[in-house]
Amino acid sequence: MRKRQQSQNEGTSAMSQAPGNQRPNNTCCFCWCCCCSCSWSSDFKPPYHHHHHPSILASKVLLTVRNEDRGDNAGRPTHTTKMESIQAVEECQNPTPDEIMSWSQNFDKMMKTPAGRNLFREFLRTEYSEENLLFWLACEDLKKEQNKKVVEEKARLIYEDYISILSPKEVSLDSRVREVINRNLLDPNPHMYEDAQLQIYTLMHRDSFPRFLNSQIYKSLVESTAGSSTSES
């Protein structure tokens, strides 16, 4: 009798150690069935990471950020970004020579003109800080929105694209401003990012703008307009 019980225990032990009955180490902490879609693996990335892939659903609108990531995320779920007001290049008229020269004296004036923003954005792209201007433009667009549901959606997208620490386009904000944003997320409104927008605007003014004026991008434009003015006269 004792031998029979011992053999049964050994058989049960062998079955529990069989590969088919082992619980995978990389499965979700809540379930481990074959249909579990939340299995953990060594290359797992938080779902928020995928919110930052670029795409635009409206005509004449394109947000091109991290296109190179699409190849790395093949087979993984992707999420589109619906920042419909942020165009790759804002439509504008050619600036006059006087306007171009005035930009060197007045950052605010340059930021109020689409042509000035386009040129400044081109420069920021060379310094890998284009997200600062994109964030500022997204906040300007949010201020114009009145529909509550659209406000909530755009506020969430702005947070995921520019505020979240998981975003590749995260802008630099201090802890105080981040706390204000987190409180505002409980009840989003069109002006909820004003403090953050002002902080980034000041950063661009003090940090990026002086280098922009000394950049080849701006100097070449000044020289070309000066040459065309001379030839016309």
Side-chain angles (χ1 to χ4, degrees):
M1 183 66 179
R2 181 178 299 176
K3 290 184 178 180
R4 182 181 299 176
Q5 290 178 345
Q6 183 178 1
S7 62
Q8 288 178 349
N9 292 337
E10 290 176 354
T12 304
S13 176
M15 289 179 62
S16 64
Q17 294 176 1
N21 291 326
Q22 285 184 341
R23 176 171 176 168
N25 294 328
N26 63 340
T27 53
C28 173
C29 57
F30 296 107
C31 59
W32 61 285
C33 60
C34 59
C35 62
C36 179
S37 61
C38 51
S39 297
W40 288 76
S41 62
S42 58
D43 62 345
F44 175 82
K45 296 182 180 179
Y48 287 111
H49 171 82
H50 303 298
H51 286 289
H52 313 300
H53 291 281
S55 65
I56 292 301
L57 305 180
S59 60
K60 296 183 179 180
V61 176
L62 179 62
L63 179 60
T64 54
V65 182
R66 290 176 65 87
N67 279 325
E68 66 273 14
D69 284 354
R70 289 180 174 176
D72 297 338
N73 292 323
R76 298 178 182 177
T78 57
H79 302 270
T80 56
T81 301
K82 302 176 183 178
M83 303 307 298
E84 298 183 354
S85 65
I86 303 179
Q87 303 179 12
V89 177
E90 295 183 79
E91 296 180 358
C92 62
Q93 297 179 345
N94 291 331
T96 65
D98 290 339
E99 283 181 313
I100 295 172
M101 294 302 299
S102 70
W103 295 344
S104 64
Q105 305 297 326
N106 195 320
F107 178 71
D108 296 333
K109 182 177 292 187
M110 182 193 71
M111 287 290 288
K112 289 178 180 178
T113 63
R117 291 193 296 267
N118 284 338
L119 191 67
F120 188 51
R121 181 173 175 180
E122 182 181 349
F123 166 75
L124 292 178
R125 193 176 295 120
T126 66
E127 292 202 334
Y128 304 100
S129 58
E130 182 186 15
E131 65 274 4
N132 289 333
L133 184 55
L134 293 177
F135 170 69
W136 186 87
L137 289 171
C139 293
E140 287 294 291
D141 175 66
L142 180 62
K143 291 178 181 179
K144 303 173 185 176
E145 190 57 59
Q146 300 296 325
N147 185 290
K148 184 173 178 60
K149 289 185 177 180
V150 177
V151 168
E152 292 176 352
E153 175 69 5
K154 288 187 175 183
R156 180 182 64 82
L157 291 172
I158 290 175
Y159 185 90
E160 292 175 356
D161 279 347
Y162 305 109
I163 309 300
S164 171
I165 60 174
L166 300 177
S167 173
K169 299 175 289 180
E170 178 194 4
V171 296
S172 179
L173 299 170
D174 61 36
S175 58
R176 180 192 65 82
V177 172
R178 286 183 175 276
E179 289 176 3
V180 172
I181 292 173
N182 289 334
R183 288 197 300 268
N184 288 337
L185 283 174
L186 300 175
D187 185 21
N189 63 84
H191 300 275
M192 61 175 290
Y193 289 110
E194 277 192 340
D195 289 347
Q197 187 184 18
L198 177 60
Q199 193 167 102
I200 294 303
Y201 188 88
T202 303
L203 176 66
M204 291 190 294
H205 187 187
R206 296 179 178 177
D207 186 59
S208 302
F209 185 58
R211 292 196 299 275
F212 164 74
L213 297 179
N214 290 320
S215 69
Q216 194 60 39
I217 292 176
Y218 180 68
K219 289 182 178 179
S220 297
L221 182 62
V222 171
E223 291 173 359
S224 63
T225 53
S228 61
S229 299
T230 303
S231 61
E232 291 176 359
S233 59

